[in-house]
Amino acid sequence: MDFKARLSQRIGMDDINEILRLTHDSDSRKQELYDLVIGDDEAIGYHAAWIFTHFSSQDNEWLYTKQDQLIDNVLACKHGGKRRVMLNLLYRQPFPNPPRVDFLDFCLERMMSGEELPGVKSLCMKIAYELCRPIPELKQELKTMLAMMEGDLVPSIRAVRRNILNAMHKEKSLQKY
């Protein structure tokens, strides 16, 4: 199957399932699909990244070694949908401690942006929380930024914000014991 030709048009679940079957036991086919994610064609890259979101947890581990390259691509991505899907892929991965500062800055900036898509803002908030968790000073900075977000928020952003603040409160309560 020519992935590029298939992904240059609208895809459905049948297409996704067929590509998942073809890539499941083949690292070379995964690499072929991944090369489309990071390639120059944003629409094809978006479709390829969308397929990776359907990977099993086991198949998703193949992407762990690509984390820095995915982050580099997210930082430069102009396509909002592709950016959201790549952030989704990154959210499913373990993050290094200490975090990449440029990626943390990106997430903090985008979660506060009034022009960013709600899906990107939500994922940036979740990723920022995961990146800040091991470092108390960063966690406090994130909490301050979340407090500044009060106001006219869409329901999805308000829910993510509330969930993160609740998780921070629970962590703080558990530390007292």
Side-chain angles (χ1 to χ4, degrees):
M1 171 192 290
D2 180 7
F3 288 156
K4 189 171 187 172
R6 176 69 65 94
L7 298 176
S8 67
Q9 47 196 299
R10 193 174 185 97
I11 59 171
M13 277 312 296
D14 291 339
D15 300 309
I16 291 170
N17 288 329
E18 183 178 356
I19 293 171
L20 290 175
R21 186 182 51 74
L22 291 171
T23 58
H24 176 63
D25 290 325
S26 172
D27 285 350
S28 64
R29 295 301 297 226
K30 286 177 183 142
Q31 184 64 49
E32 183 183 344
L33 184 62
Y34 178 77
D35 288 342
L36 295 174
V37 171
I38 61 169
D40 293 333
D41 189 313
E42 296 284 1
I44 290 174
Y46 171 67
H47 288 151
W50 181 249
I51 290 170
F52 274 105
T53 66
H54 290 83
F55 270 32
S56 68
S57 296
Q58 179 185 2
D59 284 336
N60 188 56
E61 288 179 14
W62 182 86
L63 282 173
Y64 290 4
T65 61
K66 312 286 188 202
Q67 187 178 75
D68 280 330
Q69 194 175 31
L70 273 173
I71 290 171
D72 292 340
N73 275 271
V74 165
L75 298 178
C77 185
K78 303 290 184 225
H79 186 281
K82 181 179 174 187
R83 187 168 47 249
R84 177 184 54 80
V85 175
M86 287 193 300
L87 285 167
N88 194 350
L89 294 175
L90 288 165
Y91 183 62
R92 294 175 61 189
Q93 296 185 9
F95 292 108
N97 184 10
R100 266 186 62 172
V101 174
D102 59 343
F103 186 47
L104 176 58
D105 288 345
F106 170 86
C107 289
L108 293 172
E109 177 189 322
R110 294 300 172 109
M111 73 180 223
M112 300 299 287
S113 172
E115 291 145 27
E116 191 57 81
L117 298 170
V120 171
K121 287 177 78 161
S122 295
L123 284 163
C124 283
M125 290 168 68
K126 291 176 180 182
I127 291 171
Y129 173 62
E130 293 301 325
L131 293 173
C132 292
R133 279 180 75 184
I135 304 166
E137 296 82 13
L138 289 178
K139 201 159 68 170
Q140 186 57 45
E141 182 179 337
L142 176 62
K143 189 174 183 177
T144 301
M145 292 181 83
L146 291 170
M148 291 174 19
M149 288 180 75
E150 285 185 358
D152 194 24
L153 301 173
V154 296
S156 61
I157 303 297
R158 194 171 34 245
V160 171
R161 178 183 169 275
R162 181 183 61 244
N163 290 342
I164 291 171
L165 289 170
N166 286 343
M168 287 176 159
H169 181 72
K170 283 182 185 175
E171 285 177 1
K172 194 172 184 178
S173 297
L174 291 174
Q175 289 174 355
K176 290 181 182 177
Y177 298 105

